[in-house]
Amino acid sequence: MSAESAAKRIAWLAREIRAADALYYQDDNPALSDADYDTLRRELIALEAEFPHLIHKDSPTQSVGAKPSGRFGKVKHVVPMLSLDNAFSDEDVVDFCARVKRFLSLPSETNIAFTAEPKIDGLSAALRYENGKFIKGSTRGDGQIGEDITANLATLDTVPKVLSGQGWPEVLEIRGEVYIDHADFETMNASQVAAGKAEYKNPRNAAAGSLRQIDPSVTASRPLKFFAYTWGDVSAPFAETQIDAVRRMADWGFDVNPQMRRHDNPKEMVAHYAEILNARAGLGYDIDGVVYKVDDLALQDRLGFVSRAPRWAIAHKFPAEKAITIVEAIDIQLGRTGSLTPVARLTPITVGGVVVSNATLHNADEIERLGVKVGDSVEIQRAGDVIPQVLRVVKPSDKDPFVFPSQCPICAAPVTSDIDTKTGRQDVVRRCTNGLSCPAQAVQGLVHFVSRQVFDIDGLGERQIEAFYEKDLIREPADIFTLRSRNSEIQLETWEGFGETSATKLFDAIDARRSIPFDRVLYSLGIRHVGRTNSRLIAQHFTSWKMFWTAVPELQNPVSDPYMSLLGIDGMGQAALGSLAEFFASDANYKIVENLVQHLDIQDAEAPTSDSPVAGKVVVFTGKLERFSRDEAKARAQSLGAKVSGSVSSKTDYLVAGPGAGSKLKKAESLGVNVMTEDAWLELIT
Ligand code: IVH
């Protein structure tokens, strides 16, 4: 590279890194993945080493305290850090309590105790203590892996370095929320203003930025506090109820929320919610709802988790905050599956501490229902992390009504809507009919393919995909895997934004993903309703890609064995199966997948890690179960690694039959399947 192009590249890299740092540290709103960030930094370091006279004193590589690469170490959570399901009304809370009882097979008139406490609007953190000493602190991250922020958390007065009292388990991981209270937030912003710096948007952002400082002395200067409310990895149980567990945490020196109480029924719970909502403004810190938890820890254990949230807890959210603003334009956004979503571009307005400039209008019917047009003044609402919504038109403008396009705004193909197979009604969502021939859908599909949770290819993001797509170099996923071999024509190293190093890095990153788990390959295809969870379920069902691929043609036949057995998987719905079948009914899609898998070494789905005798076995429950609800029986079987199916076939290992069993029992008997009572099943699994 010439010194001139090196100087340009160095300036560009420095700018990108500085911008990424600002978003990461000041706004806690990372624009780049850690890997992309590291790639930029490494390239800058390499270039500066080659052209030392071009090192600028303000270069991000010269700033004191910045790590040469990466930011924080990673911490794998022994017990995943989950999120909570939401309730938005008193009825949702009543339903939640009923659901809990149903799952536990308890009569509806039984009272179960629940705790209720404020949902703190901060950042969750996990604090690990060994023999009473604080040894590691981490962020939640993606729930499985967080960042190691031990040094920063150690600066908080409310994080005990040594536990008080006695009786703590040898290993004790306390979890809770880091936050900044209102008074401290005001003081913090006043000094930002005095120093001529931008104010923080809200206490949560200020807390997030303060917690993830590279230099712990900066964190120490910020007024962060910690409320403890739950726990993760522990070497021994330390309480029998939620409320006692929290009392013990208080004895060991943690701040716990004084508003926590225990209730016997939904009526008391919602009354407490109303009380907390009333007290909200005077609490002195931000809360965004009330969390209810089943008090009895043995019941919590039985209830377990579904997907990423516990069945034993729910967050009752406060009503959304509202504001009035003007619709400046209505744009159409195209999704990966071709859906056309109208978006209102708004005159920016602060709602609940956050600046809102876009709100979703969902679909054509919603626009009609609202009667919204460009120029209207509208009421909008924002609830937690949910995308802002338009509630109603407050003052209409004299502009013409919005006309929903009948053609795709990107490729001009006609727009249609599906017919719901169940209701026979037309779906409200309009879709572009051009499938992967629509550039927007193709690009969005490819962006999904390379994204974090799917193929996770470092250095290949939306911008790069668009560039490759426009130049006709990547049109389908398989093309990604032939980039390196085509590089003598492509000459990626000469492209703007790429150098020798970053081109090689990209090819290496692609090669690193040739070996990939089965479920990711399935998820990568972007089939409607076949998201992460369903992909995992399907992969676990077939175990190997080969078995799946053999079954694919049979998916067109809804009475075939593969179709029926997939339908029996707990959690898989007709919609997912229907769209899986529809996807492979297209020769073009079939070919795209065939082309792709040639380049891959697809790893079998992980066998369930369980030494239970039912691990890997297919079990069907039928008739009335007397010890458990059907849901609990299924969840228990699955947690032991069994596959629960809804129909009996030659693949069924056990049929657990309660009173009233009928046709399934007959079929199982005729197929020679092992039939057992609920008691025999219980004996087998315990
Ligand atoms: S309990 C298994 N209690 O809310 C889930 N969470 O939306 C255990 N949060 O990630 C969480 N206040 O960061 C719980 N009193 C409280 C909470 C609380 C705030 C946060 C927490 C969690 C998020 C879920």
Side-chain angles (χ1 to χ4, degrees):
M1 192 184 279
S2 70
E4 198 185 328
S5 15
K8 273 197 198 141
R9 183 74 187 159
I10 285 175
W12 181 84
L13 286 165
R15 232 182 10 252
E16 292 278 307
I17 293 169
R18 253 184 255 116
D21 277 345
L23 284 169
Y24 186 87
Y25 293 112
Q26 283 142 41
D27 300 345
D28 191 45
N29 178 20
L32 293 179
S33 71
D34 280 358
D36 287 348
Y37 177 86
D38 288 347
T39 308
L40 293 181
R41 275 197 89 97
R42 277 198 298 265
E43 191 186 342
L44 181 59
I45 292 168
L47 272 179
E48 288 181 341
E50 204 178 327
F51 301 94
H53 66 286
L54 295 176
I55 301 179
H56 195 275
K57 68 175 182 352
D58 291 337
S59 165
T61 60
Q62 305 302 301
S63 51
V64 190
K67 279 197 194 172
S69 76
R71 287 136 173 169
F72 296 105
K74 303 272 187 247
V75 178
K76 174 140 182 56
H77 299 302
V78 178
V79 176
M81 285 181 88
L82 300 154
S83 55
L84 292 168
D85 278 339
N86 292 327
F88 294 101
S89 65
D90 291 0
E91 291 81 69
D92 288 352
V93 177
V94 173
D95 286 352
F96 161 69
C97 297
R99 225 168 27 243
V100 164
K101 285 186 216 168
R102 233 182 0 256
F103 187 90
L104 296 169
S105 208
L106 295 172
S108 56
E109 59 284 2
T110 336
N111 275 346
I112 334 189
F114 289 87
T115 56
E117 72 206 58
K119 182 168 187 299
I120 318 296
D121 194 9
L123 292 310
S124 46
L127 313 172
R128 188 179 176 91
Y129 290 83
E130 288 182 8
N131 299 310
K133 290 205 186 68
F134 175 52
I135 61 140
K136 193 163 278 311
S138 54
T139 63
R140 175 175 185 274
D142 65 1
Q144 307 287 334
I145 293 174
E147 286 176 319
D148 184 343
I149 50 162
T150 312
N152 292 354
L153 283 166
T155 67
L156 273 67
D157 290 342
T158 42
V159 169
K161 264 45 86 191
V162 177
L163 298 180
S164 340
Q166 55 207 344
W168 13 265
E170 229 169 82
V171 173
L172 172 67
E173 186 195 324
I174 295 292
R175 294 176 176 179
E177 207 80 355
V178 176
Y179 68 101
I180 290 179
D181 72 28
H182 292 158
D184 287 335
F185 178 69
E186 296 299 323
T187 319
M188 233 176 128
N189 260 351
S191 44
Q192 286 288 110
V193 173
K197 293 189 188 153
E199 287 185 75
Y200 292 99
K201 281 186 232 154
N202 54 45
R204 189 182 183 281
N205 275 26
S210 304
L211 200 54
R212 295 167 76 198
Q213 291 291 326
I214 279 203
D215 178 357
S217 70
V218 179
T219 307
S221 71
R222 306 283 171 82
L224 295 167
K225 291 185 174 150
F226 179 81
F227 268 133
Y229 51 67
T230 191
W231 57 96
D233 188 24
V234 286
S235 53
F238 58 89
E240 288 181 1
T241 61
Q242 182 76 30
I243 202 140
D244 279 343
V246 171
R247 280 189 196 128
R248 298 207 74 187
M249 292 184 201
D251 292 342
W252 296 330
F254 294 96
D255 264 8
V256 300
N257 196 282
Q259 312 283 331
M260 180 179 188
R261 277 202 268 300
R262 181 178 184 274
H263 301 293
D264 279 329
N265 57 60
K267 215 163 144 204
E268 281 177 27
M269 290 154 71
V270 300
H272 189 184
Y273 167 88
E275 217 178 280
I276 293 179
L277 180 56
N278 249 329
R280 184 184 192 185
L283 287 178
Y285 47 87
D286 278 353
I287 64 172
D288 58 352
V290 171
V291 184
Y292 307 117
K293 299 172 187 167
V294 169
D295 191 38
D296 183 333
L297 301 183
L299 293 185
Q300 283 191 8
D301 233 31
R302 280 180 58 191
L303 284 153
F305 303 87
V306 63
S307 175
R308 287 176 16 242
R311 283 197 190 84
W312 44 262
I314 202 159
H316 190 176
K317 300 302 280 281
F318 288 146
E321 312 225 25
K322 297 178 183 161
I324 291 175
T325 184
I326 310 271
V327 177
E328 294 184 347
I330 297 177
D331 289 346
I332 300 286
Q333 270 179 357
L334 218 75
R336 173 158 60 80
T337 54
S339 56
L340 271 61
T341 306
V343 178
R345 307 289 179 205
L346 308 165
T347 307
I349 183 149
T350 305
V351 193
V354 169
V355 178
V356 170
S357 45
N358 300 306
T360 178
L361 290 167
H362 300 287
N363 52 55
D365 286 18
E366 178 73 353
I367 295 188
E368 202 168 308
R369 190 185 70 79
L370 293 165
V372 62
K373 309 189 289 308
V374 173
D376 288 357
S377 126
V378 291
E379 184 176 34
I380 60 162
Q381 76 168 16
R382 183 191 143 258
D385 306 332
V386 184
I387 306 169
Q389 321 268 315
V390 174
L391 291 179
R392 65 190 176 100
V393 173
V394 180
K395 200 164 141 250
S397 73
D398 52 8
K399 299 254 171 61
D400 291 335
F402 179 76
V403 182
F404 204 90
S406 55
Q407 289 186 321
C408 170
I410 308 292
C411 71
V415 163
T416 65
S417 44
D418 297 347
I419 305 286
D420 187 317
T421 42
K422 272 196 210 128
T423 61
R425 274 206 234 118
Q426 211 156 25
D427 191 27
V428 288
V429 178
R430 311 253 170 111
R431 287 176 200 282
C432 161
T433 47
N434 214 359
L436 291 178
S437 310
C438 166
Q441 282 185 64
V443 168
Q444 288 306 321
L446 289 163
V447 170
H448 164 74
F449 185 91
V450 298
S451 66
R452 254 291 168 90
Q453 292 183 354
V454 193
F455 267 70
D456 189 19
I457 301 180
D458 280 352
L460 212 47
E462 181 155 3
R463 251 189 312 165
Q464 292 81 1
I465 289 284
E466 266 170 7
F468 281 118
Y469 188 87
E470 265 165 31
K471 293 191 163 67
D472 223 356
L473 292 169
I474 298 181
R475 288 276 153 162
E476 58 176 271
D479 298 337
I480 295 172
F481 295 94
T482 57
L483 278 181
R484 174 172 258 159
S485 61
R486 290 185 287 148
N487 198 42
S488 52
E489 300 152 45
I490 302 174
Q491 301 210 334
L492 189 58
E493 60 286 352
T494 63
W495 290 24
E496 163 99 41
F498 279 96
E500 192 87 50
T501 353
S502 41
T504 313
K505 280 220 174 81
L506 176 58
F507 299 142
D508 289 347
I510 292 170
D511 284 345
R513 292 294 179 269
R514 287 179 195 268
S515 172
I516 186 109
F518 177 1
D519 60 317
R520 289 213 185 199
V521 178
L522 200 52
Y523 183 35
S524 77
L525 305 177
I527 303 171
R528 272 175 79 200
H529 308 298
V530 183
R532 246 195 334 165
T533 308
N534 278 339
S535 299
R536 215 170 280 159
L537 289 174
I538 297 171
Q540 275 168 359
H541 181 82
F542 285 104
T543 327
S544 74
W545 177 266
K546 208 167 148 211
M547 307 255 269
F548 168 70
W549 200 240
T550 320
V552 159
E554 290 192 66
L555 293 177
Q556 301 311 319
N557 173 5
V559 292
S560 67
D561 241 19
Y563 194 98
M564 292 299 287
S565 63
L566 275 177
L567 203 53
I569 302 179
D570 188 34
M572 272 279 288
Q574 184 89 47
L577 253 171
S579 80
L580 186 69
E582 190 185 311
F583 180 87
F584 284 110
S586 142
D587 288 343
N589 287 341
Y590 191 88
K591 189 89 193 103
I592 283 176
V593 181
E594 236 183 1
N595 291 346
L596 166 67
V597 300
Q598 277 179 29
H599 301 281
L600 305 177
D601 161 27
I602 304 176
Q603 301 153 15
D604 287 353
E606 258 177 48
T609 49
S610 165
D611 48 11
S612 158
V614 302
K617 301 283 191 230
V618 179
V619 51
V620 177
F621 294 98
T622 188
K624 185 169 166 27
L625 300 183
E626 290 165 318
R627 308 287 198 112
F628 297 113
S629 66
R630 185 67 70 89
D631 283 343
E632 186 175 4
K634 271 188 186 172
R636 199 73 193 264
Q638 283 168 336
S639 72
L640 295 168
K643 298 176 195 172
V644 180
S645 173
S647 60
V648 175
S649 76
S650 56
K651 305 237 168 64
T652 311
D653 293 296
Y654 300 111
L655 179 84
V656 181
S663 60
K664 286 187 192 166
L665 178 57
K666 274 207 196 104
K667 184 160 182 199
E669 281 167 352
S670 73
L671 289 170
V673 169
N674 194 342
V675 176
M676 55 175 69
T677 61
E678 193 183 359
D679 282 344
W681 166 256
L682 257 178
E683 205 165 296
L684 182 67
I685 62 172
T686 42

